[in-house]
Amino acid sequence: KNEVEQSPQNLTAQEGEFITINCSYSVGISALHWLQQHPGGGIVSLFMLSSGKKKHGRLIATINIQEKHSSLHITASHPRDSAVYICAVRSDFGNEKLTFGTGTRLTIIP
Amino acid sequence: NAGVMQNPRHLVRRRGQEARLRCSPVKGHSHVYWYRQLPEEGLKFMVYLQKENIIDESGMPKERFSAEFPKEGPSILRIQQVVRGDSAAYFCASSTRDTEAFFGQGTRLTVV
């Protein structure tokens, strides 16, 4: 079992729909990251969370430390949101390295 | 994401050649991480370095791969005698302690 599990693996939605991507992890963490990767492109850090909720534009990220679960929401989705979204966790053992989920491939249809 | 510079963006090597991948972290960042993304797979940790020190290399293959982050200049990931299975995207990220990591655009290595 992977330390970081994401669901769904693939998601296709119509423009304007509300999107939710889930991430569950099985280890103690000091922080959780949500990352975005466009095909053939680099990786952009969207959020770093250690508790609660963060919002940036149409993106919202939440984390429940007790349940070891995080969600990434996109409101009013747009075709330019089409990308792979990756959840990554940083352990709480003093090592800063990230462990990644396998990613969720999001496609928004106009 | 601004500031982490990786070069080259694309690198083609024949089997048996050496590949050198460079990463200049965000100015002031002392922590550098290298990650590898194999085709159709997720990102995997390779190595974590601070200036002149390797902190964690548990994700590095035992042979042919090495990394350094000298006092001056970029971090270098070096792959000797490349094989087809080394073809992947290699990403560098930098941070300071307890801050979010900034990623570079990656180097896409193709071994022919």
Side-chain angles (χ1 to χ4, degrees):
Chain A
K1 189 179 189 298
N2 293 331
E3 290 181 349
V4 183
E5 297 277 356
Q6 280 185 243
S7 64
Q9 288 190 2
N10 294 283
L11 178 57
T12 299
Q14 292 289 135
E15 183 174 355
E17 285 189 39
F18 181 81
I19 302 299
T20 296
I21 299 170
N22 295 301
C23 175
S24 296
Y25 52 93
S26 57
V27 295
I29 69 168
S30 61
L32 181 144
H33 296 249
W34 281 102
L35 310 168
Q36 180 193 55
Q37 185 176 28
H38 285 280
I43 295 169
V44 175
S45 178
L46 299 174
F47 295 103
M48 184 177 79
L49 293 162
S50 54
S51 65
K53 177 180 174 178
K54 285 190 176 179
K55 184 176 189 293
H56 184 257
R58 295 181 294 107
L59 302 178
I60 303 165
T62 63
I63 188 168
N64 185 319
I65 297 293
Q66 286 73 31
E67 295 188 4
K68 292 187 165 61
H69 181 269
S70 175
S71 293
L72 176 69
H73 305 285
I74 305 174
T75 62
S77 59
H78 190 277
R80 65 175 175 266
D81 297 326
S82 298
V84 176
Y85 291 84
I86 303 167
C87 171
V89 300
R90 192 170 70 195
S91 76
D92 60 1
F93 294 108
N95 189 321
E96 312 287 307
K97 70 183 181 187
L98 296 176
T99 301
F100 300 86
T102 52
T104 294
R105 186 175 301 275
L106 175 65
T107 303
I108 304 297
I109 300 170
Chain B
N1 201 36
V4 178
M5 303 299 294
Q6 286 190 250
N7 65 81
R9 289 289 306 277
H10 300 274
L11 181 62
V12 179
R13 284 287 178 266
R14 295 189 183 279
R15 279 179 295 171
Q17 291 185 320
E18 178 179 285
R20 277 183 182 245
L21 288 61
R22 286 176 291 278
C23 169
S24 296
V26 172
K27 189 175 180 181
H29 283 189
S30 56
H31 300 207
V32 165
Y33 314 82
W34 286 93
Y35 299 97
R36 178 165 68 172
Q37 187 175 41
L38 292 166
E40 303 303 320
E41 292 189 22
L43 286 150
K44 294 282 193 289
F45 167 78
M46 297 185 75
V47 62
Y48 163 34
L49 309 110
Q50 295 179 19
K51 282 286 188 182
E52 299 185 276
N53 289 304
I54 297 173
I55 307 301
D56 180 351
E57 57 181 347
S58 59
M60 288 272 273
K62 293 289 184 281
E63 297 177 352
R64 302 187 298 108
F65 285 70
S66 62
E68 63 176 7
F69 187 19
K71 188 176 179 182
E72 301 291 337
S75 176
I76 306 288
L77 179 67
R78 183 182 177 208
I79 311 172
Q80 295 178 289
Q81 299 174 343
V82 296
V83 300
R84 288 229 169 100
D86 297 333
S87 295
Y90 292 82
F91 289 93
C92 170
S94 76
S95 72
T96 58
R97 183 171 173 78
D98 292 331
T99 64
E100 67 180 294
F102 289 83
F103 284 81
Q105 289 291 304
T107 293
R108 279 150 183 87
L109 172 66
T110 302
V111 179
V112 297

